[in-house]
Amino acid sequence: MAIVLGDNRYGKAETRLVRVTRDGDTHRLADLNVSIALSGDLTATHVSGDNAGVLPTDTMKNTVYAFARRPGVGEPEEFALLLARHFVEAQPQITRATVGIEAYGWERLGPHSFRRKGDYVRTARVDHTADTTQVVSGLTDFVVLNSTDSEFHGFTRDRYTTLPETTDRILATAVDARWRHLGPDGAWAESFEGVKDAMVNAFVTTYSYSLQQTLFTMGSRVLEQRPEVAEIRLALPNKHHYLVDLSAFDLENPGEVFIAGDRPYGLIEGTVTRDDAPPAEVGWYL
């Protein structure tokens, strides 16, 4: 029996970076969490401990900080592309670089004063080889809620089903979205805002009969309005709200007082794709 090394990669995870750009008295802030993974001809270090082809992960961290100083950060996708291309071009033993970035938003309060925004986290991921480049943008923890215009009924029942049908419910979710771009070049800030706006508009204007239907509508709206997007994957946890029984207090509750459930929760996931989009190079939404 032969034992061989399978797929492998290594890198530096979660390098925290804050970059202050000083434009006179008015400053700009970039707050990033950068993760790097490299793969290629790394058999020797696994099999015999020969580290001749291993770039230290500490060097990857240092590269993040050095590149943040010059040429600078820019948009998350732009910075991820810069780093991924560098590692593949500079290290002959490396054939693929994957760079993932979480970007945390800050709201301006003054020329050099800011307040951390917690409504969502912007993400970017670049997979780069000598022959291909794949860019995936996204956001996480984007909480949205409709207080009506949502139903859920006509579902399958078995002996363990106790959920009542409803024709009026709160629909709330924390959107986790990833979308793959058709190419490695783009107006990243404009594209991000356009995708976010399309998802929000679809959520607001869709009368929902299921969270699955809402997911497909949100993804479809993005592809209809953003031609640079090849496909989008959405993960939508159903943030349940349960009507409180106030009868013990001789009070009616006409859909006004709810318990916000924590867990367990339903999780709806799906990908909406252009039928003519080129296939992804790697598992882009992992």
Side-chain angles (χ1 to χ4, degrees):
M1 178 186 71
I3 299 175
V4 297
L5 178 67
D7 290 340
N8 63 90
R9 63 182 188 174
Y10 82 109
K12 199 68 163 182
E14 301 198 36
T15 297
R16 291 290 283 115
L17 162 68
V18 175
R19 171 64 153 93
V20 179
T21 301
R22 301 174 183 271
D23 298 325
D25 293 332
T26 301
H27 298 172
R28 289 183 290 112
L29 202 64
D31 186 355
L32 308 180
N33 192 27
V34 183
S35 293
I36 298 166
L38 307 182
S39 57
D41 183 9
L42 299 168
T43 301
T45 187
H46 288 89
V47 174
S48 65
D50 180 356
N51 296 323
V54 176
L55 181 73
T57 66
D58 189 68
T59 304
M60 301 178 200
K61 175 204 69 180
N62 293 341
T63 304
V64 170
Y65 293 133
F67 278 29
R69 174 65 181 92
R70 186 175 291 112
V73 172
E75 297 297 320
E77 293 87 352
E78 182 182 359
F79 194 52
L81 281 163
L82 181 72
L83 290 166
R85 288 166 172 161
H86 164 76
F87 288 117
V88 171
E89 293 169 2
Q91 302 297 322
Q93 77 281 11
I94 297 302
T95 57
R96 180 182 297 277
T98 300
V99 179
I101 293 179
E102 295 173 336
Y104 308 108
W106 289 82
E107 177 184 349
R108 180 178 297 282
L109 300 177
H112 52 265
S113 301
F114 304 86
R115 181 184 69 86
R116 173 72 178 268
K117 294 182 355 184
D119 51 346
Y120 63 84
V121 175
R122 180 177 171 181
T123 64
R125 169 173 165 158
V126 169
D127 286 283
H128 177 71
T129 71
D131 301 317
T132 63
T133 303
Q134 181 172 280
V135 181
V136 175
S137 300
L139 56 77
T140 63
D141 298 325
F142 186 42
V143 179
V144 290
L145 180 151
N146 283 330
S147 58
T148 189
D149 285 354
S150 176
E151 304 181 12
F152 190 58
H153 51 78
F155 45 81
T156 297
R157 290 185 173 274
D158 67 10
R159 61 178 296 193
Y160 303 109
T161 302
T162 60
L163 183 71
E165 297 188 344
T166 180
T167 58
D168 188 10
R169 67 171 181 170
I170 289 177
L171 182 67
T173 187
V175 178
D176 186 337
R178 302 284 189 276
W179 53 94
R180 179 170 65 91
H181 294 268
L182 284 168
D185 302 305
W188 304 118
E190 176 189 345
S191 178
F192 176 83
E193 292 298 330
V195 171
K196 179 166 66 71
D197 289 347
M199 288 192 294
V200 169
N201 180 264
F203 182 83
V204 170
T205 60
T206 298
Y207 192 105
S208 178
Y209 293 95
S210 69
L211 191 49
Q212 288 89 337
Q213 174 208 3
T214 301
L215 181 151
F216 184 75
T217 304
M218 291 171 69
S220 298
R221 193 74 56 85
V222 169
L223 298 184
E224 290 165 0
Q225 297 184 4
R226 306 306 307 183
E228 73 275 16
V229 177
E231 57 185 327
I232 179 169
R233 181 172 178 83
L234 292 153
L236 304 181
N238 196 340
K239 300 180 74 67
H240 300 295
H241 290 72
Y242 305 104
L243 194 67
V244 179
D245 182 2
L246 300 177
S247 60
F249 317 115
D250 295 325
L251 293 172
E252 296 181 350
N253 188 4
E256 294 181 350
V257 181
F258 296 85
I259 298 172
D262 180 14
R263 62 194 67 177
Y265 53 85
L267 180 59
I268 313 303
E269 300 176 279
T271 306
V272 185
T273 308
R274 299 184 188 277
D275 60 5
D276 59 349
E281 296 296 330
V282 292
W284 58 275
Y285 55 80
L286 300 178

